[in-house]
Amino acid sequence: MNYALVTGGSRGLGASIAKRLTSPELAVIINYRSNEEAAIRVAEEIRANGGIADLLPFDVSSEKSVDAALEKWEDAHPNDQITVLVNNAGIREDNLMIFMQSEQWHKVINTTLDGFFYVTRRVLKGMLTKKFGRIINIASLSGLKGLPGQANYSAAKAALIGATKALAQEVAARKVTVNAIAPGFIKSDMTKDLDESTLKKQIPLGRFGEPEEVAALVSFLASKDSSYITGETISINGGLY
Ligand code: NAP
């Protein structure tokens, strides 16, 4: 069976992506860090609709945790392979640079960037051997234009876009594509403390996006239909730049 691994699949964008990617041809691995209850709810919904969903908790920013969890999964699934990887796990720790604590800087960089590196390196080998793979990195509008109060987050997401372009060129010969998605404001726990009624006035489409709208784009990039797109960053932001 082919599997899609969705990091941070317990809530928000990741939960919608996991549900959308599941099909008779593709099972899903839902990764999360600590919110087991939410992850179980996503898996149950997928199973109720006839899909296959495994739960795989690990901290993407910990090399040991990533390697131990994926090794265990691979041992239990000798005939299965991960053909789609969605690097979605991410956090915000906003602060103006002048007030930013070292911990806030490192936590955000480590989750987005180290997480991308540890998980992708681990999963890549199977894709290169199978000569097929889809890697989709969830970046952000912040990584393209930079947002005040988010020097840490903007730096992490911009670096993720750079890594996407580099890796795409490394693995293209093996028919593994690597793309990034840069969402604007999408409704989720991450944005629930933002003032949507004020912010939406800056957005040409006049609203925050839905996680399902991001999931639809991920689903296209994960499909065979996207086979000639690689190294690209696709914005999904209602026209906000
Ligand atoms: P969210 O609702 O806060 O969910 C975050 C998810 O990431 C949760 O499943 C969480 O797991 C998981 N996670 C966090 N740290 C982790 C770690 N160290 N290891 C494993 N899993 C971890 O966030 P979201 O809005 O869905 O955001 C998803 C992605 O989209 C992030 O990369 C974010 O930067 C990006 N993004 C979001 C927006 C937006 O407007 N929402 C815009 C642009 C980009 P637990 O449930 O266990 O905590």
Side-chain angles (χ1 to χ4, degrees), residues 141-142 145-148 150 184-185 194-209 237-241:
L141 175 64
S142 303
K145 79 180 283 255
L147 284 182
Q150 292 199 322
F185 292 108
L194 300 181
D195 180 4
E196 185 179 347
S197 57
T198 306
L199 285 167
K200 72 183 185 187
K201 292 181 191 139
Q202 302 167 20
I203 305 170
L205 277 173
R207 62 177 177 86
F208 278 17
N237 57 23
L240 176 70
Y241 285 94

Side-chain angles (χ1 to χ4, degrees), residues 85-104:
L85 167 62
V86 186
N87 286 304
N88 165 79
I91 55 165
R92 260 179 61 198
E93 279 280 345
D94 297 356
N95 215 337
L96 295 173
M97 177 73 108
I98 193 88
F99 302 120
M100 191 173 284
Q101 303 298 306
S102 303
E103 203 200 339
Q104 292 182 304

Side-chain angles (χ1 to χ4, degrees), residues 6-11 31-34 58-63 65-66 85-94 102-121 136-139 152-161 163 190:
V6 182
T7 68
S10 52
R11 291 184 287 126
N31 157 258
Y32 60 99
R33 182 187 40 185
S34 54
F58 58 83
D59 176 355
V60 295
S61 69
S62 155
E63 183 174 8
S65 165
V66 169
L85 167 62
V86 186
N87 286 304
N88 165 79
I91 55 165
R92 260 179 61 198
E93 279 280 345
D94 297 356
S102 303
E103 203 200 339
Q104 292 182 304
W105 174 265
H106 290 298
K107 253 173 88 178
V108 169
I109 302 273
N110 293 351
T111 304
T112 289
L113 204 53
D114 294 9
F116 156 79
F117 173 61
Y118 296 142
V119 179
T120 306
R121 183 180 57 178
I136 298 141
N137 299 319
I138 307 298
N152 51 358
Y153 186 84
S154 302
K157 296 298 193 182
L160 185 61
I161 290 170
M190 190 178 270

Side-chain angles (χ1 to χ4, degrees), residues 9 19 23 31 87 125 139 172 187 189 208-209 238:
K19 289 184 226 168
S23 74
N31 157 258
N87 286 304
K125 204 173 154 196
K187 284 182 196 161
D189 289 345
F208 278 17

